[in-house]
Amino acid sequence: MRSKLFVPGDRPALFAKAMASEADILSFDLEDAVAVAAKADARTQVAAFLHAAPHRSAGKQVIVRTNAWHSHAWEDDLRAVLPLDIDLINLPKIESTEQLRQAMAEIEAIEARLQVRQRTGLLVNIETPRALRNAVAIATAHPRVRGLQLGLGDLFEPHGIRRTDLRNVHAAQYALRMAAAEAGVFAYDAAFPGLDDETGFRAEAASARALGYVGKSCVHPRQLAWANSVFASTDEEIEMARRIVDAAEDGVYAVDGRMVDAPFLARARAVLATVRHEEKQ
């Protein structure tokens, strides 16, 4: 999950190119990247492309970002997206447990009407101060919430918080990561707006990786290599993960004289699972 590429839903010419890219995850966007007049056509184009599940043969994970749960396009998005074989629905503009539960009630009602059997998980955007304050409650409001995604643009810009100050970025990253850790879900880092600023992108990504984020959103294909590089496991990390897993399988819970308990073992297994996924790409 090192890199996630945003794919505008109204740009079908980019769909196959995105599928062939080095992104671990593709996020087809029906929200901010699509003008209001183009939303109906965008959801039709995305659904038609993903209906054949090309991402499964390509080894990609796929997310679809719907419009906000209270918007006019929300239910139409759900009717198009829920029958698809995708990994997650990215849900924006959620600020409270009440909103999350209302959104889930609508999702489950549409699933029942359409007789959809699979239960797609949610990646919830945290992009306002209120949402950040309620992040733990939002993440634990329903078992289908799998992760929280930081939205720094919406979180910072309306309040005059400087995105260029890495201290501000780190503070928000830390707050969201602690919420995700308490809730037992993964944390995903925000997109970086500077398409040519590799240094800035890598600095944000490195800050997120040090906090235990699983990857970073990308708004342009050139950012994918940067994200994959920052979030790739080092040889030393992989070797230590293998030693921890092997020791646990042998009933030994100490490596190099240090106690290795359940959280260390879970992290080691996650590292090896990521390596196996990368090797399939």
Side-chain angles (χ1 to χ4, degrees), residues 82-110:
L82 287 173
L84 299 174
D85 177 19
I86 62 175
D87 296 283
L88 295 168
I89 293 173
N90 183 200
L91 188 57
K93 307 300 186 285
I94 291 290
E95 294 188 297
S96 68
T97 57
E98 180 182 0
Q99 292 175 0
L100 190 284
R101 288 169 181 153
Q102 288 180 22
M104 276 307 311
E106 294 183 46
I107 288 172
E108 290 170 344
I110 291 175

Side-chain angles (χ1 to χ4, degrees), residues 200-266:
F201 182 100
R202 285 181 175 274
E204 275 196 8
S207 175
R209 190 185 191 281
L211 288 169
Y213 280 69
V214 297
K216 187 166 184 63
S217 302
C218 302
V219 293
H220 192 280
R222 73 168 60 99
Q223 296 178 331
L224 295 172
W226 307 341
N228 288 343
S229 172
V230 171
F231 283 93
S233 299
T234 65
D235 291 342
E236 292 78 9
E237 289 170 334
I238 295 169
E239 176 60 24
M240 178 56 71
R242 286 180 174 142
R243 292 179 63 198
I244 290 172
V245 171
D246 289 346
E249 290 177 350
D250 292 337
V252 178
Y253 284 87
V255 176
D256 292 343
R258 296 179 60 186
M259 185 68 67
V260 177
D261 57 8
F264 287 91
L265 179 58

Side-chain angles (χ1 to χ4, degrees), residues 57 76 86 96 103 109 128 138 148 171 181 185 197 204 217 231-232 240:
S57 58
D76 289 334
I86 62 175
S96 68
T128 68
I138 290 170
L148 299 176
V185 300
D197 185 2
E204 275 196 8
S217 302
F231 283 93
M240 178 56 71

Side-chain angles (χ1 to χ4, degrees), residues 45-60:
Q45 296 277 10
V46 169
F49 180 74
L50 295 177
H51 181 71
H55 47 294
R56 298 307 175 204
S57 58
K60 304 289 188 186

Side-chain angles (χ1 to χ4, degrees), residues 55-230:
H55 47 294
R56 298 307 175 204
S57 58
K60 304 289 188 186
Q61 295 185 56
V62 161
I63 298 171
V64 176
R65 180 165 74 168
T66 66
N67 287 279
W69 69 276
H70 50 74
S71 68
H72 294 299
W74 160 250
E75 289 193 13
D76 289 334
D77 288 348
L78 292 182
R79 282 190 285 269
V81 169
L82 287 173
L84 299 174
D85 177 19
I86 62 175
D87 296 283
L88 295 168
I89 293 173
N90 183 200
L91 188 57
K93 307 300 186 285
I94 291 290
E95 294 188 297
S96 68
T97 57
E98 180 182 0
Q99 292 175 0
L100 190 284
R101 288 169 181 153
Q102 288 180 22
M104 276 307 311
E106 294 183 46
I107 288 172
E108 290 170 344
I110 291 175
E111 286 173 336
R113 288 200 297 271
L114 298 179
Q115 298 183 325
V116 175
R117 293 185 178 181
Q118 72 170 22
R119 296 294 180 259
T120 306
L122 298 182
L123 172 61
V124 181
N125 285 5
I126 301 298
E127 47 197 337
T128 68
R130 183 185 180 202
L132 188 57
R133 173 167 51 83
N134 293 329
V136 175
I138 290 170
T140 55
H142 197 280
R144 282 166 67 173
V145 177
R146 307 287 172 74
L148 299 176
Q149 178 171 280
L150 189 59
L152 288 177
D154 289 325
L155 183 63
F156 283 0
E157 286 300 324
H159 311 290
I161 302 172
R162 291 184 181 178
R163 173 72 178 270
T164 53
D165 191 328
L166 192 59
R167 293 171 299 181
N168 295 339
V169 173
H170 178 81
Q173 289 173 333
Y174 179 82
L176 182 69
R177 180 65 182 96
M178 289 297 98
E182 183 176 346
V185 300
F186 69 81
Y188 212 89
D189 198 27
F192 184 80
L195 303 185
D196 298 314
D197 185 2
E198 180 176 355
T199 300
F201 182 100
R202 285 181 175 274
E204 275 196 8
S207 175
R209 190 185 191 281
L211 288 169
Y213 280 69
V214 297
K216 187 166 184 63
S217 302
C218 302
V219 293
H220 192 280
R222 73 168 60 99
Q223 296 178 331
L224 295 172
W226 307 341
N228 288 343
S229 172
V230 171

Side-chain angles (χ1 to χ4, degrees), residues 11-22:
R11 301 283 301 280
L14 300 179
F15 294 177
K17 293 179 180 179
M19 196 64 66
S21 74
E22 56 187 311

